[in-house]
Amino acid sequence: MASVELDKIRKSYGNTAVLHGIDLGIQDGEFCVFVGPSGCGKSTLLRMIAGLEDITEGELRLGGKRVNEVPAAQRGLAMVFQSYALYPHMSVRQNLAFGLENMHTPKAEITSRVEGAAKMLQIDPLLERKPRQLSGGQRQRVAIGRAVVREPSVFLFDEPLSNLDAELRVQMRVEIASLHQRLGNTMIYVTHDQVEAMTMADRIVVLRLGIVEQVGAPLDLYNTPANRFVAGFIGSPRMNFLEGTIQRLDADTAHIEVEGLSDVRVHIDTGQCKTGEQVTLGVRPEHIRLVKESEGSARAVVATTEQLGSDSYLYCDLPQGQRMIIHHPGQTDIKAKNHIHLAFDPEHSRLFRRDDTGAVIPRRAG
């Protein structure tokens, strides 16, 4: 096992900068997930850690040792790719053993490691099959097993579940998380799927356009996003956003004027903003309540409903055309074209600056 430290890491292709001074420390034994939209630099960063991409500037340390110039094969890492990258003419056993044979590992040790990994990943009945005889989930287990047998200090996963169907993705998420608990190795996992990030990570690194927007535990990012981008990216369904203006400030409450709504209140540190400031109101679907007309901040028309059995989601249009998503616990009789009244939770609503940073306006301490 090993820690991973990135110190002012930059990556450029010619005159095109891809990563802009990444500072990040990943602790020994941590499960760290890089998440962000396509093109944000997360896979490039992972490949630089693996030694598959050169570092333009900065320093990369594994276990405290600088490894910028150390070849990939000598870094003690193992990588699992999106495409599985199995050798089609080899059996599962041969695929698992191939890397160890190239390292001139004793035959008895190869057999022990291969059979141990196969049993751990429940692919021991498949050892004599070829990749074409396996399902997608079985192939992914083999790809993970090939990394496990190397006994690396750090596991690297590059969107390993994106080729699987929804049910298999859920199953493999659980299996990879269980693998981390059993082995205790440092794991770095890249995905564009924030659900994978939320359910698997000890810490999440949110990237956008080659910079780190926020680093933190999954629920910290969900409950206290640093800016509008993180608030919109972390959470499914996404946070609702409405443009407004601060109309009045009380001791710890901002009263927000949003077109078509009334009495929208948010608890914040009022010393961090001013009356008349234009802001973005953010409210998660579970923090919107259905109320009587006399209690409501907004009147909406239901466009459609999603009934999931244990939960329902209402997609509603406000009078000025804004679309809102509302979480409704359990099942509901509400149907399309029904009129409903909404109230926003002032304790859990958020305000964001309406500028290039989109930074959150903090709440009062304590």
Side-chain angles (χ1 to χ4, degrees):
M1 296 187 288
S3 61
V4 181
E5 298 169 83
L6 296 91
D7 187 2
K8 298 179 176 58
I9 295 291
R10 295 181 180 273
K11 178 64 179 178
S12 299
Y13 297 99
N15 294 325
T16 303
V18 178
L19 294 170
H20 308 277
I22 304 295
D23 288 307
L24 180 66
I26 300 170
Q27 299 175 8
D28 188 1
E30 185 176 19
F31 196 126
C32 183
V33 176
F34 297 167
V35 69
S38 297
C40 70
K42 55 188 184 294
S43 289
T44 300
L45 188 58
L46 189 77
R47 290 175 63 84
M48 292 167 75
I49 295 171
L52 303 177
E53 294 276 359
D54 292 331
I55 296 172
T56 304
E57 292 182 30
E59 185 170 282
L60 172 65
R61 295 183 292 273
L62 298 178
K65 178 185 175 182
R66 176 187 167 97
V67 295
N68 289 45
E69 294 79 26
V70 176
Q74 298 176 22
R75 293 191 181 187
L77 312 178
M79 191 160 179
V80 179
F81 297 92
Q82 175 181 347
S83 61
Y84 315 139
L86 302 179
Y87 296 105
H89 62 287
M90 293 183 180
S91 67
V92 169
R93 183 187 298 276
Q94 291 169 326
N95 267 283
L96 294 176
F98 185 72
L100 297 177
E101 292 170 350
N102 285 344
M103 296 164 59
H104 306 292
T105 305
K107 188 173 182 180
E109 186 175 348
I110 291 176
T111 300
S112 175
R113 289 197 200 181
V114 166
E115 292 181 355
K119 185 175 181 179
M120 179 190 302
L121 294 166
Q122 300 178 350
I123 54 173
D124 40 324
L126 311 176
L127 285 172
E128 307 311 321
R129 294 189 189 181
K130 299 289 178 62
R132 66 176 178 273
Q133 299 172 298
L134 306 177
S135 68
Q138 290 168 337
R139 292 180 191 179
Q140 191 55 274
R141 287 191 186 91
V142 176
I144 294 170
R146 191 169 53 187
V148 169
V149 297
R150 295 186 59 188
E151 298 182 352
S153 58
V154 180
F155 284 89
L156 307 176
F157 294 87
D158 190 6
E159 303 208 37
L161 308 185
S162 58
N163 289 335
L164 303 180
D165 62 36
E167 184 176 353
L168 269 177
R169 283 202 301 273
V170 173
Q171 181 181 342
M172 288 304 301
R173 285 205 309 261
V174 173
E175 292 188 11
I176 292 173
S178 298
L179 179 68
H180 177 251
Q181 292 175 358
R182 288 197 297 269
L183 298 179
N185 293 63
T186 307
M187 293 188 177
I188 306 175
Y189 187 104
V190 162
T191 182
H192 64 275
D193 184 339
Q194 57 86 31
V195 174
E196 286 183 20
M198 288 289 292
T199 55
M200 299 173 71
D202 295 323
R203 278 196 310 156
I204 298 173
V205 180
V206 182
L207 292 124
R208 177 175 61 157
L209 300 176
I211 65 170
V212 174
E213 292 285 351
Q214 190 173 358
V215 181
L219 290 180
D220 289 342
L221 268 59
Y222 187 85
N223 293 322
T224 56
N227 55 44
R228 175 172 172 165
F229 175 79
V230 175
F233 196 85
I234 298 295
S236 180
R238 68 192 300 272
M239 179 178 276
N240 297 289
F241 295 109
L242 297 170
E243 304 304 317
T245 304
I246 297 177
Q247 187 178 44
R248 190 173 86 251
L249 295 171
D250 294 338
D252 63 352
T253 303
H255 297 258
I256 311 302
E257 182 181 54
V258 179
E259 188 175 9
L261 279 65
S262 63
D263 192 30
V264 178
R265 295 172 294 121
V266 181
H267 292 167
I268 61 168
D269 182 351
T270 54
Q272 301 290 323
C273 54
K274 58 185 179 181
T275 302
E277 182 176 350
Q278 292 186 329
V279 292
T280 299
L281 170 70
V283 189
R284 294 206 180 276
E286 66 269 27
H287 297 143
I288 302 174
R289 295 179 292 114
L290 300 181
V291 296
K292 298 177 181 179
E293 182 175 0
S294 59
E295 303 171 342
S297 297
R299 181 174 182 268
V301 178
V302 177
T304 186
T305 63
E306 288 183 344
Q307 298 268 19
L308 304 181
S310 59
D311 297 279
S312 304
Y313 289 95
L314 311 178
Y315 293 77
C316 307
D317 294 320
L318 299 179
Q320 305 306 316
Q322 308 102 313
R323 174 61 59 89
M324 302 282 289
I325 306 175
I326 303 163
H327 172 252
H328 187 281
Q331 302 172 16
T332 180
D333 295 328
I334 299 173
K335 297 180 174 59
K337 298 184 180 180
N338 285 177
H339 290 260
I340 57 176
H341 296 273
L342 314 174
F344 304 145
D345 184 342
E347 184 65 26
H348 292 99
S349 299
R350 296 287 180 265
L351 288 184
F352 302 95
R353 310 269 183 206
R354 210 188 306 176
D355 57 18
D356 291 341
T357 69
V360 70
I361 299 176
R363 298 171 61 189
R364 186 182 296 275

